[in-house]
Amino acid sequence: HSSTMTSLASKAIGAVFIGALCLIPAVFSQEVTLSSYACYDPTIPAETAQFYRGRNTTVCLYVGPGGDWNTQGTTYTRFAFNLKADEFSSYWIPGSFKSIVQDDPFNSNATHIFASSQSSVSFLRRYYDATTQQVFPYLTAVIDVKDGTVQGIAWDDACIFCKLSRCLPNTYDFVGNITTREDISQPTDGCYISRDECVALHAGGSDECDLKLFVVWTGTGVGGTALFSSDSRFSAFPPNRIQENVENGVNQAIGNLQGKATDAKDAADNFFDTVTDSIPFYWGGEEEGGDDVGQG
């Protein structure tokens, strides 16, 4: 497979939050060719082949075109990175909005991503839809581990970042079919930002539309050590707290746009309106279909 974005700089950023206990995703499987998508660190195989709480663990982020990823010859880029196991972490690809959305390296009408660790993979999420001009930047992988072996990877609920009208179906299997919560028993929708709004936010210095992957873990590490970082995932917090953080970033970008082109500022203002009308919040299992199940 060929790499198309080798010029992108990348870095991992770790942070720790304290969250409320909610339902934790478990495991769901699909037919997928795993040999090409397994994720280990060959430089320290003994350390990363098993999951030890507090040590390095390897996570990979694959970026490529929409469609059938089981087809040979799919062109994609893989970002592999080591994170401290069981700490709420994030991996950010600086400049990725421009490199992916504006430069279109895959020559495709959509850009899909997925996460992998050891021999497990997530379902695909759409990062950019060129037809609708929509960017879906909110991605949190919940990695399920049993006695040090990754069992599966689920996506956290990404609809807490916007009002319901901005939350659309956004999860696909590896042959390119869109999935539903009923199909795979995990959250499948995501919040979008329009391309024009992203251009305006980018002009104001915001990285809101860059590709970022947040990672948490659940289950047990080697020796049965309990993992707790999934308690810090975004869906464990009231949406108004999450949306306040988004609003603060948008306000800063709008401030930076003062005195610049009016249409750019209007686009940023429009996006601000989409995050201030918050969606309902459900504690524990009160939400209909509340059992979130992952995939491996």
Side-chain angles (χ1 to χ4, degrees), residues 200-268:
L201 291 169
H202 183 72
S206 171
D207 62 6
E208 192 73 21
C209 297
D210 274 347
L211 186 55
K212 305 182 198 72
L213 178 68
F214 295 90
V215 184
V216 296
W217 292 266
T218 185
T220 56
V222 170
T225 306
L227 308 178
F228 299 105
S229 59
S230 59
D231 297 344
S232 300
R233 68 198 188 278
F234 290 110
S235 65
F237 294 85
N240 63 307
R241 289 180 59 187
I242 304 301
Q243 292 161 6
E244 282 175 8
N245 290 333
V246 176
E247 291 167 18
N248 290 338
V250 174
N251 277 330
Q252 182 175 350
I254 291 174
N256 292 339
L257 284 170
Q258 295 291 347
K260 295 187 178 181
T262 302
D263 56 349
K265 183 178 180 299
D266 288 346

Side-chain angles (χ1 to χ4, degrees), residues 78-290:
R78 184 180 83 158
F79 299 91
F81 41 96
N82 286 327
L83 303 173
K84 189 171 183 180
D86 203 32
E87 284 194 1
F88 183 101
S89 302
S90 66
Y91 183 79
W92 168 42
I93 306 173
S96 49
F97 167 69
K98 180 182 185 303
S99 296
I100 296 173
V101 175
Q102 295 180 305
D103 296 347
D104 189 21
F106 303 109
N107 192 29
S108 173
N109 63 0
T111 300
H112 284 186
I113 64 91
F114 68 91
S116 71
S117 185
Q118 296 182 8
S119 61
S120 290
V121 300
S122 70
F123 281 91
L124 294 160
R125 279 285 173 103
R126 178 163 290 186
Y127 168 63
Y128 177 58
D129 188 322
T131 302
T132 61
Q133 300 277 286
Q134 293 168 342
V135 179
F136 295 83
Y138 303 110
L139 303 163
T140 300
V142 183
I143 302 180
D144 183 39
V145 186
K146 182 178 180 182
D147 296 328
T149 300
V150 175
Q151 305 294 302
I153 305 174
W155 292 112
D156 191 24
D157 181 10
C159 287
I160 62 172
F161 293 91
C162 65
K163 64 181 182 180
L164 289 175
S165 62
R166 282 273 180 141
C167 191
L168 301 177
N170 190 42
T171 304
Y172 299 78
D173 63 23
F174 270 72
V175 294
N177 298 317
I178 196 164
T179 63
T180 66
R181 190 182 184 114
E182 291 70 30
D183 291 335
I184 63 175
S185 300
Q186 68 170 269
T188 56
D189 296 349
C191 291
Y192 76 85
I193 306 174
S194 76
R195 187 180 188 277
D196 287 344
E197 290 161 356
C198 283
V199 169
L201 291 169
H202 183 72
S206 171
D207 62 6
E208 192 73 21
C209 297
D210 274 347
L211 186 55
K212 305 182 198 72
L213 178 68
F214 295 90
V215 184
V216 296
W217 292 266
T218 185
T220 56
V222 170
T225 306
L227 308 178
F228 299 105
S229 59
S230 59
D231 297 344
S232 300
R233 68 198 188 278
F234 290 110
S235 65
F237 294 85
N240 63 307
R241 289 180 59 187
I242 304 301
Q243 292 161 6
E244 282 175 8
N245 290 333
V246 176
E247 291 167 18
N248 290 338
V250 174
N251 277 330
Q252 182 175 350
I254 291 174
N256 292 339
L257 284 170
Q258 295 291 347
K260 295 187 178 181
T262 302
D263 56 349
K265 183 178 180 299
D266 288 346
D269 282 332
N270 181 62
F271 173 58
F272 177 83
D273 292 338
T274 70
V275 298
T276 53
D277 180 5
S278 71
I279 65 172
F281 177 63
Y282 302 88
W283 285 102
E286 296 178 10
E287 181 179 8
E288 183 179 356

